[in-house]
């Protein structure tokens, strides 16, 4: 099953992608995670994109094309994949279509998880991550067992700079301007399914599974 998960930053794409990845045994491909890993590892790519990520802006399309193409060529995508965070522009959606055509793959569904700006700001500003193992928490919905410490490795949790409220609003604005038109692109091709992301995690997952089973 080849899937794309869309929605504003903080709609819960990453969390739901992990659940789907486990249930269907397909890799979760998060371009945000790939870029953050490159920054942490200090690669050439990481050095080029670090400030862009910090400000919540979009990495240039040409760089993204190369990253996604290389990732979708790997063997572990042969039974499917779930793309999270790509495409974010109409040009990226067009390129994805080309890449998939070249690789003889199809998109089975594009799932939009909806959320309002206020919900997103509230949710993302409560997000904390473990700088050591990368586990993600939320002070409202997914609290660590001990205040501000990672359940897995005990490291003190941090707030990412791009999760600060003013950066979140900027990311939301960019989503409306650049990414919302991508939804139209997929709506026209008949693969778009919409799920209300404002509800508890488990309810959103249930809806997602139902819409995937009814494909
Ligand atoms: P995410 O974790 O998906 O919110 O991505 C974190 C950041 O990585 C974004 O705010 C962008 O700076 C960058 N990024 C991730 N995916 C893309 C993409 N498809 N196009 C451009 N920039 C991206």
């Amino acid at each position: 099953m080849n899937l794309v998960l869309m929605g504003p930053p903080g709609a819960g794409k990453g969390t739901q992608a992990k659940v789907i990845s486990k249930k269907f045994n397909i890799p979760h491909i998060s371009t945000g995670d790939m870029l953050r890993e490159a920054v942490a590892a200090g690669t050439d790519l990481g050095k080029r994109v670090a400030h862009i990520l910090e400000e919540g802006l979009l990495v240039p399309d040409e760089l993204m094309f190369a990253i996604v193409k290389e990732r979708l060529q790997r063997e572990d995508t042969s039974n499917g994949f779930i793309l999270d965070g790509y495409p974010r522009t109409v040009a990226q959606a067009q390129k994805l279509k080309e890449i998939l055509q070249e690789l003889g793959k199809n998109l089975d569904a594009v799932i939009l998880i909806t959320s309002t700006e206020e919900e997103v700001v509230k949710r993302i500003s409560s997000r904390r991550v473990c700088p050591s193992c990368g586990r993600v928490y939320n002070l409202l919905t997914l609290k660590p067992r001990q205040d501000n410490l990672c359940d897995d490795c005990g490291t003190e949790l941090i707030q990412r700079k791009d999760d600060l409220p003013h950066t979140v609003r900027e990311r939301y604005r960019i989503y409306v301007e650049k990414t919302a038109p991508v939804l139209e692109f997929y709506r026209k091709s008949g693969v778009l399914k919409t799920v209300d992301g404002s509800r508890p995690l488990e309810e959103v997952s249930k809806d997602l599974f139902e819409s995937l089973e009814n494909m």
Side-chain angles (χ1 to χ4, degrees), residues 61 87-95 178-183 185:
D61 283 341
R88 267 177 150 97
T89 62
V90 172
Q92 290 185 9
Q94 276 158 345
K95 188 68 180 182
K178 300 268 172 41
T179 310
V182 181
L183 300 174
F185 179 91

Side-chain angles (χ1 to χ4, degrees), residues 189-200:
S189 55
V191 287
L192 189 71
K193 295 169 187 298
T194 304
V195 170
D196 174 5
S198 64
R199 295 154 316 137

Side-chain angles (χ1 to χ4, degrees), residues 8-10 13 30-33 35-36 49 51-61 64 68 84-89 92 124 127 160 162-163 167 171 174:
K13 297 189 296 294
S30 156
T31 46
D33 284 350
L35 294 167
R36 278 186 289 274
V49 302
H51 69 284
I52 302 179
L53 263 70
E54 209 162 276
E55 288 167 38
L57 304 175
L58 291 186
V59 170
D61 283 341
M64 296 311 301
V68 168
D84 154 20
Y86 185 101
R88 267 177 150 97
T89 62
Q92 290 185 9
I124 303 196
R127 183 148 75 187
R160 281 178 6 205
D162 62 340
D163 286 347
T167 319
R171 288 165 66 195
I174 293 175

Side-chain angles (χ1 to χ4, degrees), residues 119-154:
E119 274 165 4
V120 156
V121 171
K122 193 169 141 200
R123 211 181 277 179
I124 303 196
S125 345
S126 322
R127 183 148 75 187
R128 297 292 181 275
V129 293
C130 173
S132 172
C133 70
R135 186 161 165 185
V136 180
Y137 297 86
N138 188 295
L139 301 182
L140 300 173
T141 53
L142 263 181
K143 287 188 195 166
R145 281 195 298 271
Q146 273 192 57
D147 243 10
N148 225 32
L149 295 182
C150 179
D151 290 354
D152 290 339
C153 63

